Amino acid sequence: MKTPNVLSNYIEFPGKLPVKHKILYMLLESQSKFLSWNDIGAKAGISGPEVRETVKNLLDDGFPVETTTERGCRISGKQDILFPSRIHEHLETQVLGRKILYTLSTTSTNDDARLVANGHPGGTLLTCETQTQGKGRLGRQWESPRGGIFLSLILKPEIQPAKVPSLSLVAGCATAKTLQSLGLDALVKWPNDVLVHGRKLAGILCEISAEPDRVAHVIVGIGVNANVSKTRMPGPVRERSTSILDELGKYVDRNVLIAGLLNNFEAYYFRFLESGMQTLIPEIQEIMAYVGSPVIIHNTAFGSGETQHGILRGLDKHGRLLVLASTGEIKTYTAGDVSLRLE
Ligand code: BT5
């Protein structure tokens, strides 16, 4: 059971850095040069034994710190690490990510965001290097190995609760556009996936807390397989997933990518709030997977569990899925899983 002290492992930006992160960033910035124990201690404001204890902690966290008695310690080579300050440098947003909460590892950033949403402003970003209990929809699991992007945004939109489900598509669209800017052929698969060459590269999980006519907050969780090969995923996921590393054959700067994603998402989010979902539909349909193709819909609304076949037609003005059934009738879905029907 999580305590209300859920953020004790997080660092807050802007804010004071805990000693561990101060030392980590010192080592990373010194670019493979040794830093003496004394220098580190003086800069971090702690004693020699405390420095050694903190460095041991960093080793336990998986950072390849090389330690020597004489010369001090260093981290060699480029490390793929998130820096809240670097995410911040690349932000062009007014609201999203203006406050960043970052930790190396947690159970699920969505769970943490939900627990702390009341005490934090709309737009707060939670992110981490790895999740131990990453969540998908309907109790499914989200594989969260290091190198991926795992983020949750606390949003406090003044909209009717019924409009919240559209935010999944808005986030999906922003994620796909961000991936397209890297040269990837990214498409949105209704309601919450981003596919590249038919394989899942990113997923969205929106969770709402609301009264009947008022939204308290929405947590928009986004997972992106970035600098991680799908070979690190368990078998069934490996077959149906891909990553930026697998597609482009190179590492990306996740700090820049997260900032770019937030920049794109905010632009769409503001349009959604100002003008409604309707204005975004044409753009989303343009990058939607399976339009015109035979599909199978597994309807998950109200636990109905029914499965239907049809031709995917697109979206209605609310972002609901339109499918042409074999009877000639157009069916509308508010929730479900779509897969391609192989003839
Ligand atoms: C999703 O659910 O796609 C939502 C994923 C949201 C993840 C983010 S990460 C930050 C935040 N914190 C969280 O705890 N969650 C959010 P769904 O449509 O139900 O898809 C889940 C299914 O995708 C699984 O059952 C697997 O088949 C597959 N899957 C799991 N991990 C994957 C991965 N890393 N890449 C691709 N597919 C994956």
Side-chain angles (χ1 to χ4, degrees):
M1 178 81 179
K2 285 245 180 179
T3 61
N5 203 10
V6 60
L7 293 182
S8 60
N9 285 328
Y10 278 81
I11 64 171
E12 195 169 316
F13 182 91
K16 198 166 164 274
L17 275 182
V19 161
K20 182 157 119 181
H21 285 83
K22 254 193 210 165
I23 294 181
L24 175 63
Y25 294 158
M26 261 184 235
L27 290 168
L28 293 172
E29 270 160 23
S30 80
Q31 295 178 340
S32 309
K33 280 199 218 91
F34 276 100
L35 296 180
S36 78
W37 299 106
N38 283 346
D39 279 356
I40 298 176
K43 281 193 193 143
I46 54 174
S47 67
E50 281 170 317
V51 176
R52 282 168 201 271
E53 187 55 37
T54 312
V55 166
K56 189 180 164 297
N57 264 330
L58 288 172
L59 276 163
D60 292 344
D61 285 336
F63 292 103
V65 191
E66 196 184 322
T67 58
T68 69
T69 324
E70 313 263 287
R71 297 165 74 192
C73 54
R74 67 172 179 179
I75 292 184
S76 299
K78 225 173 157 214
Q79 300 296 317
D80 178 24
I81 291 288
L82 293 175
F83 290 81
S85 58
R86 290 217 53 219
I87 297 174
H88 182 261
E89 252 169 55
H90 293 273
L91 283 178
E92 292 160 8
T93 54
Q94 291 170 40
V95 178
L96 299 194
R98 290 285 133 197
K99 181 167 188 181
I100 303 175
L101 301 168
Y102 165 76
T103 186
L104 293 171
S105 174
T106 188
T107 47
S108 152
T109 53
N110 258 44
D111 284 349
D112 293 346
R114 195 163 33 82
L115 290 170
V116 302
N118 286 340
H120 288 81
T124 300
L125 167 73
L126 285 85
T127 188
C128 66
E129 304 289 349
T130 179
Q131 299 182 124
T132 53
Q133 287 167 42
K135 299 192 307 180
R137 290 177 300 149
L138 307 165
R140 295 173 192 144
Q141 204 174 319
W142 185 254
E143 301 297 332
S144 310
R146 247 181 150 125
I149 287 176
F150 315 103
L151 66 86
S152 300
L153 287 160
I154 299 172
L155 301 182
K156 302 192 171 174
E158 289 179 10
I159 56 174
Q160 290 295 314
K163 296 197 168 149
V164 168
S166 311
L167 274 173
S168 263
L169 266 182
V170 178
C173 179
T175 307
K177 290 276 183 185
T178 309
L179 295 171
Q180 285 178 0
S181 68
L182 298 175
L184 290 167
D185 201 357
L187 296 175
V188 176
K189 191 185 91 163
W190 185 91
N192 72 320
D193 288 354
V194 178
L195 305 183
V196 174
H197 299 135
R199 290 165 176 270
K200 185 158 169 172
L201 197 149
I204 319 287
L205 174 66
C206 276
E207 296 181 290
I208 177 174
S209 161
E211 290 156 23
D213 57 351
R214 192 188 138 265
V215 174
H217 59 253
V218 182
I219 309 299
V220 178
I222 305 179
V224 181
N225 299 330
N227 297 334
V228 55
S229 165
K230 62 174 183 244
T231 53
R232 303 247 313 268
M233 306 286 175
V237 174
R238 191 183 313 149
E239 281 155 33
R240 281 180 275 125
S241 66
T242 189
S243 71
I244 298 177
L245 180 61
D246 289 325
E247 295 294 327
L248 297 181
K250 62 174 186 189
Y251 286 77
V252 286
D253 184 332
R254 289 179 301 136
N255 297 291
V256 177
L257 196 63
I258 290 179
L261 178 47
L262 265 52
N263 294 339
N264 280 332
F265 185 34
E266 183 169 282
Y268 285 111
Y269 178 56
F270 282 179
R271 278 172 61 195
F272 168 76
L273 293 180
E274 277 152 30
S275 321
M277 192 60 184
Q278 207 163 338
T279 55
L280 297 175
I281 295 296
E283 263 174 75
I284 299 176
Q285 288 207 128
E286 235 171 67
I287 57 166
M288 213 173 135
Y290 306 160
V291 176
S293 300
V295 290
I296 303 170
I297 319 287
H298 182 70
N299 190 351
T300 54
F302 317 114
S304 87
E306 70 179 302
T307 297
Q308 286 191 344
H309 291 196
I311 305 291
L312 198 150
R313 278 286 183 241
L315 301 169
D316 73 3
K317 63 181 182 179
H318 306 291
R320 294 178 300 202
L321 192 73
L322 299 175
V323 175
L324 175 66
S326 56
T327 54
E329 186 192 351
I330 299 271
K331 297 219 166 204
T332 308
Y333 294 88
T334 52
D337 285 311
V338 181
S339 52
L340 205 53
R341 192 173 88 220
L342 300 169
E343 300 289 278

